[in-house]
Amino acid sequence: MALQRAWYRNHVAAYLWLLLPLHALFVIISALRRWRYRLSPAKDLPVPVIVVGNISVGGTGKTPITLALVEQLKAQGERPAIVARGYGGKGPFPLRVRSTTAAEASGDEPLLLAQRTQVPVVVAPDRRAAAAQVLQQAPDTTVIISDDGLQHYALPRQFEIAVVDTERGVGNGWRLPIGPLREPVSRLQQVDTVILNGSDTQSQAFLRGATNHCYSMTLVTKKWRRVTDDTEVAALPEGKTLALAGIGNPERFFATVRNLESRSLATRGYPDHHQFSAADLAQLSQYEVLVMTEKDATKWRGFAHKDCYYLPVSATLPEAFWQQLQAKMKGFNHAIG
């Protein structure tokens, strides 16, 4: 986490220059992979593929966008499915994720997606293998959404969405491990759409020059839900409260909670995808009320007490984005028709 904080400063900390040889190796390997698929592009699938991803490590808000895509596509009569890497999951892969799948097997984000969407979700480090299993097990699928697959070029795609957290932007602008970037900022000029998560006007002004299609999304918070049974509650109970988060940017969640709740509360951040256990709960026994993200809640259900709560959120996107996506989908269907 200290390294991530260093990445998101305006300058490169002196000690990060020690990582320059690793940075050069990362850039070379990334370029070779990209050129490999440019010279021999992945063959298209029989259904369109929408990729949701980012050019930086850490959370940017991809999951709410994937949820919004599923909801909108279903409303339009499509039958979407989701493929993902299953980061943090142990498999075996490819793995069909269901609402009852253990987070340890699938990873936390795919489990959340399966629980919220009730559409086919398959995870595998090889996203093309995951897509093949989707089409085999759910042959009525009409569109596949790849969650966090921007750099997985083995999977063909018809529509690329890059999500940028405007609060943190692109950090110091360097690629791993000196900075947070998986690909250069110029990659944003090649995607179909950039979606901005946040309202920082300076970052938005910078990023709006990245592509002709750039939209802001709004995250809407819903009512708190109890972790143990998913029951919606009108208000949190009284008591000493801790907000915890094992996500890419815990401070964003903490700020949201402070805006919602007037009470005094402590905060504790964990590494992204932290595998919570009963031992973590035991270390927090001094707190009567625990609040967390929906992603974290997927790993707390086996040992949470009755005063553990999570906060669902949903993404709202402008109509112009949906029109652009619909035009792209129609173009694909016309080409194969």
Side-chain angles (χ1 to χ4, degrees):
M1 294 180 72
L3 183 60
Q4 286 197 21
R5 286 194 294 270
W7 287 342
Y8 287 101
R9 294 172 184 157
N10 293 329
H11 63 281
V12 178
Y15 72 88
L16 290 177
W17 294 118
L18 298 174
L19 303 176
L20 193 58
L22 293 177
H23 165 81
L25 181 62
F26 177 84
V27 170
I28 291 170
I29 292 174
S30 298
L32 290 174
R33 287 185 67 252
R34 186 77 190 273
W35 277 106
R36 171 190 171 190
Y37 289 108
R38 280 186 176 178
L39 295 173
S40 180
K43 293 183 179 179
D44 283 343
L45 297 173
V47 299
V49 176
I50 303 169
V51 169
V52 182
N54 54 21
I55 63 168
S56 60
V57 298
T60 55
K62 299 181 302 295
T63 300
I65 292 173
T66 300
L67 292 169
L69 284 168
V70 170
E71 183 178 351
Q72 181 75 8
L73 291 167
K74 288 169 71 175
Q76 294 174 352
E78 301 286 349
R79 294 180 294 277
I82 301 169
V83 298
R85 185 189 185 284
Y87 186 87
K90 299 177 181 178
F93 302 116
L95 173 67
R96 175 73 178 266
V97 185
R98 305 182 188 277
S99 297
T100 54
T101 300
E104 291 81 3
S106 64
D108 46 23
E109 289 172 354
L111 180 56
L112 186 161
L113 292 169
Q115 292 172 340
R116 281 277 295 269
T117 65
Q118 299 298 304
V119 303
V121 178
V122 176
V123 296
D126 182 348
R127 250 61 64 94
R128 191 177 182 95
Q133 181 161 312
V134 161
L135 295 174
Q136 180 183 20
Q137 296 184 350
D140 61 341
T141 297
T142 61
V143 56
I144 291 175
I145 303 168
S146 176
D147 182 61
D148 196 16
L150 199 60
Q151 289 78 35
H152 194 82
Y153 294 106
L155 183 69
R157 69 282 309 270
Q158 281 66 50
F159 196 81
E160 288 187 324
I161 301 169
V163 189
V164 177
D165 178 358
T166 60
E167 182 181 306
R168 299 191 296 175
V170 294
N172 60 22
W174 283 73
R175 279 188 269 179
L176 293 166
I178 293 177
L181 300 185
R182 300 169 173 176
E183 296 187 278
V185 176
S186 59
R187 179 72 170 91
L188 296 177
Q189 299 172 355
Q190 301 164 2
V191 301
D192 295 280
T193 290
V194 173
I195 293 180
L196 304 173
N197 179 10
S199 58
D200 184 270
T201 54
Q202 184 177 4
S203 294
Q204 287 192 18
F206 169 72
L207 292 165
R208 284 191 188 281
T211 178
N212 291 330
H213 298 284
C214 188
Y215 309 101
S216 292
M217 76 168 176
T218 302
L219 287 179
V220 180
T221 57
K222 301 183 178 182
K223 291 187 178 180
W224 291 103
R225 287 183 176 269
R226 188 177 291 112
V227 172
T228 53
D229 57 11
D230 289 317
T231 300
E232 190 176 273
V233 297
L236 295 175
E238 296 297 326
K240 190 176 180 181
T241 303
L242 172 75
L244 60 91
I247 59 176
N249 184 9
E251 289 302 325
R252 180 182 288 277
F253 175 67
F254 299 152
T256 299
V257 176
R258 291 189 185 100
N259 287 334
L260 290 174
E261 301 291 329
S262 58
R263 71 180 65 200
S264 174
L265 55 87
T267 61
R268 183 170 300 188
Y270 295 83
D272 196 11
H273 303 287
H274 178 71
Q275 289 294 339
F276 290 99
S277 67
D280 292 299
L281 176 61
Q283 293 175 359
L284 305 175
S285 58
Q286 68 270 37
Y287 298 101
E288 300 165 275
V289 180
L290 300 179
V291 297
M292 64 193 71
T293 68
E294 187 173 10
K295 185 174 87 167
D296 292 319
T298 64
K299 293 170 287 190
W300 276 77
R301 289 197 168 92
F303 53 84
H305 58 65
K306 66 180 182 62
D307 286 328
C308 294
Y309 301 87
Y310 70 89
L311 185 67
V313 298
S314 61
T316 300
L317 293 159
E319 183 61 29
F321 165 77
W322 298 117
Q323 291 174 356
Q324 182 196 1
L325 176 60
Q326 190 173 32
K328 198 77 171 184
M329 294 270 293
K330 285 183 178 178
F332 177 86
N333 294 329
H334 177 75
I336 65 172

